[in-house]
Amino acid sequence: MRTLVMIVLLGTSTSAIAASLAVDAPVTAHAVLQRDRAVPLTGTAQADASVSVTFDGAEQTAKADKTGHWQLTLPAHQAGGPYAIEVQSGQESTRLEDVMVGDVWLCSGQSNMEFTLRHATNADAEVGGATNPALRLFNVPRQTSPVPSNTFSAPVSWQRSSPDSAADFSAACFFMGRELQAHQNIPVGLIASSWGGSPIEAWISKEAYATIAQDGRANELLDLYAVDPIKARALWGQQVVGWLGKAAKAPLNAAWRSVPVTMAWEKWGDPDLEFFDGVGYYRAHVTLTPKQVGKATLSVGMVDDVDVTSINGKMVGANETWDKPRVYQVPVGIFKAGDNVIDLVAIDTGGGGGMWGEVPRTLKLADGSTIALSDWTFAKGRALSEKAASSGLTSLSGTSRSSLFNGMIAPLHGYPVKGFAWYQGEANVADAHGYAKLMPLLIADWRGRFGGPTFTMVQLANFGPLLTRPQDDSWARLRDVQRRVADAEPQVGMASAVDVGEIADIHPTNKQTVGHRLALAARQLALGEPVESRGPSPTSVKRSEVGITVRFAHGPLKLVGGGDALGFELCDAAGACRFVPGHLSSDTITLPADPTASEVRYLWQASPLVNLYNDSGLPATGFAMPIK
């Protein structure tokens, strides 16, 4: 036994001081280092060992600490390459080949940024023609974490752009970078770090949140979740019930209807439910004998997006991940002999809604028997427009607050970049007000960590039904927040996708246009080129002798197809709106005179028809502005 203990101790001691000489990612072979910026370099070596690093003839030295970690800084360097990074420590050495110096861009967001080149329009030709040794790609593997991670979740390395490396890379990021590289004729490095369906809250650091007023309960809940997920989830369910308020239960006068085999309400062919985002109530009854009463396992399948599930009025579980089957343990004392009522409150924040999937919905009882749950009924609740989806709610999903920053941004360790490209917002359309606070927070957070002042973002594409009458649309409100952030924040560019989307597909395949418009913003803001990167944007809305005039910047304006400008609305103080034609003259659109109108809205639909552009082929920006 003493011999075994000594072997274990000696083995542990030896491994602690014999770390192999290495350089930490994201600096790998084929990397692109940001030009004209000092670049931090970290790695491992034997404890207390001296380390020397040579890059383009210049040598830097460091000393490893007692855990074997070392760090130093490579001096700023002009664009060029290829170079090698040579690292020496005692008898060990390592060499990173084919390192370039140029411009680095960090691309992030949710599924439309994650959307890969192999799925984009004309994918075969685009993937086949992706070979470009001066364009380098770095894919950050998916990882969610309750605390900042120092390492990636899988081995990573920079890759030269080729059909193999580009096929599964972000299409929008690739097209932007390809255009910038061809235009500048210097090396360009692209870092893709995205997660489909993720809200903006997941990408902001905890330190950044500490700079703004917050709900103290949210911080406590997230801290608890890091150490006790089960207890935190129970508390979270109570918060959801509190957030729902009276909507936590179906109203007494609810209009119940039978649920078809396809349980997702937007698939029922009902116009009132086809695009309904909000609260829906599902109910099933089960009759039990006295011997069947006791502990049980309730399986209700997947719910899009949030559910609170109760039995006989007592909550047994709550969750928020749209593609995770709900399986809840039912403790003793919940069920009773006779009729039992299972209620599931579903909260749909966008896209599909309600219970879905073909998995069996069952109740496994204490006596070992299983009862299939069928004959569900449904009642429609309130729409999300009546209550912002994230107002007062804290997510505990894999994309909860700061979780993706911790897992997919923190491991980059502030790698210097030229700027950022951001395509996100679909997951936050129900809370444009909150997004208006969080978007500037994320911009400041990332700028402070990576040093790149230029921030470009994609304004959400058109998606959803074509409407014949005005409505106060959540997608329009989110796009307007994006416009206002771009107008207010220096060095923030916006690439609108409002004219390249698909009404029935939240993932449009035309990422070439998106990448081109991001490249235009980067060229203007980061490179100082005299190009137009914004579509026409409103500067004033005033009454005049000829009507109501809307003046635009980023012209000159032009109408595609001629005729009147489409998509303008006049709204009165009570919120009643009507479509009106717009007459183009120079940089102004004139609307009909209306003394009752107090506000002008433009492109205020999920899928507006756009025919107002500028000479650069960029679409006008939707807005809502009071009439002065």
Side-chain angles (χ1 to χ4, degrees), residues 577-601:
C577 302
R578 63 186 179 95
F579 288 119
V580 294
H583 176 70
L584 172 61
S585 176
S586 184
D587 64 349
T588 300
I589 295 290
T590 301
L591 309 178
D594 183 347
T596 68
S598 59
E599 182 182 54
V600 171
R601 299 197 313 206

Side-chain angles (χ1 to χ4, degrees), residues 544-563:
S544 69
E545 295 179 356
V546 295
I548 298 170
T549 58
V550 183
R551 190 175 297 276
F552 286 84
H554 305 290
L557 308 182
K558 68 177 184 181
L559 287 173
V560 176

Side-chain angles (χ1 to χ4, degrees), residues 243 276-279 347-350 382-389 430:
W243 174 81
F276 174 66
D277 296 332
V279 181
I347 307 169
D348 173 31
T349 62
R382 65 186 179 199
L384 276 186
S385 57
E386 301 174 36
K387 188 176 182 70

Side-chain angles (χ1 to χ4, degrees), residues 367-530:
D367 64 0
S369 62
T370 299
I371 297 176
L373 299 175
S374 57
D375 299 326
W376 290 84
T377 57
F378 174 84
K380 180 183 177 182
R382 65 186 179 199
L384 276 186
S385 57
E386 301 174 36
K387 188 176 182 70
S390 59
S391 175
L393 274 185
T394 303
S395 173
L396 292 182
S397 69
T399 55
S400 60
R401 182 188 291 186
S402 301
S403 61
L404 298 185
F405 173 90
N406 293 336
M408 300 178 67
I409 298 299
L412 292 169
H413 297 293
Y415 193 75
V417 301
K418 186 73 171 180
F420 311 91
W422 176 255
Y423 194 165
Q424 192 276 336
E426 298 93 337
N428 292 88
V429 292
D431 187 18
H433 178 74
Y435 203 81
K437 299 177 181 178
L438 295 178
M439 190 70 244
L441 186 65
L442 180 139
I443 293 171
D445 188 19
W446 287 20
R447 280 174 169 171
R449 293 176 184 277
F450 296 95
T454 301
F455 198 103
T456 66
M457 62 179 170
V458 180
Q459 188 184 45
L460 293 185
N462 48 309
F463 167 71
L466 297 173
L467 301 179
T468 58
R469 60 183 186 273
Q471 74 173 33
D472 188 10
D473 186 79
S474 59
W475 285 72
R477 291 196 299 270
L478 198 287
R479 291 192 196 105
D480 195 41
V481 168
Q482 293 173 318
R483 173 191 69 85
R484 288 187 277 115
V485 170
D487 285 344
E489 291 278 337
Q491 288 293 104
V492 172
M494 188 182 74
S496 179
V498 72
D499 60 334
V500 298
E502 300 176 19
I503 63 172
D505 191 345
I506 201 170
H507 301 121
T509 63
N510 180 4
K511 295 298 191 285
Q512 288 90 338
T513 299
V514 173
H516 168 64
R517 291 173 180 175
L518 285 170
L520 284 178
R523 288 173 57 190
Q524 182 185 51
L525 297 175
L527 306 181
E529 296 184 17

Side-chain angles (χ1 to χ4, degrees), residues 30 65 67 148 152 171 194-195 211 215 270 275 284 312 347 360 372 404 436 483 571 594:
H30 314 301
D65 62 20
T67 66
F152 298 99
S194 301
W195 187 301
T211 66
D215 180 356
D270 185 337
F275 297 101
N312 297 329
I347 307 169
L404 298 185
R483 173 191 69 85
C571 304
D594 183 347

Side-chain angles (χ1 to χ4, degrees), residues 319-388:
N319 216 317
E320 57 186 319
T321 307
W322 69 275
D323 58 351
K324 180 179 180 179
R326 271 55 167 180
V327 179
Y328 298 130
Q329 301 303 314
V330 183
V332 174
I334 299 294
F335 280 120
K336 62 182 180 179
D339 181 54
N340 294 267
V341 181
I342 301 172
D343 282 305
L344 187 149
V345 183
I347 307 169
D348 173 31
T349 62
M355 299 173 71
W356 70 281
E358 304 303 322
V359 299
R361 293 168 177 84
T362 62
L363 183 64
K364 186 174 182 179
L365 300 169
D367 64 0
S369 62
T370 299
I371 297 176
L373 299 175
S374 57
D375 299 326
W376 290 84
T377 57
F378 174 84
K380 180 183 177 182
R382 65 186 179 199
L384 276 186
S385 57
E386 301 174 36
K387 188 176 182 70

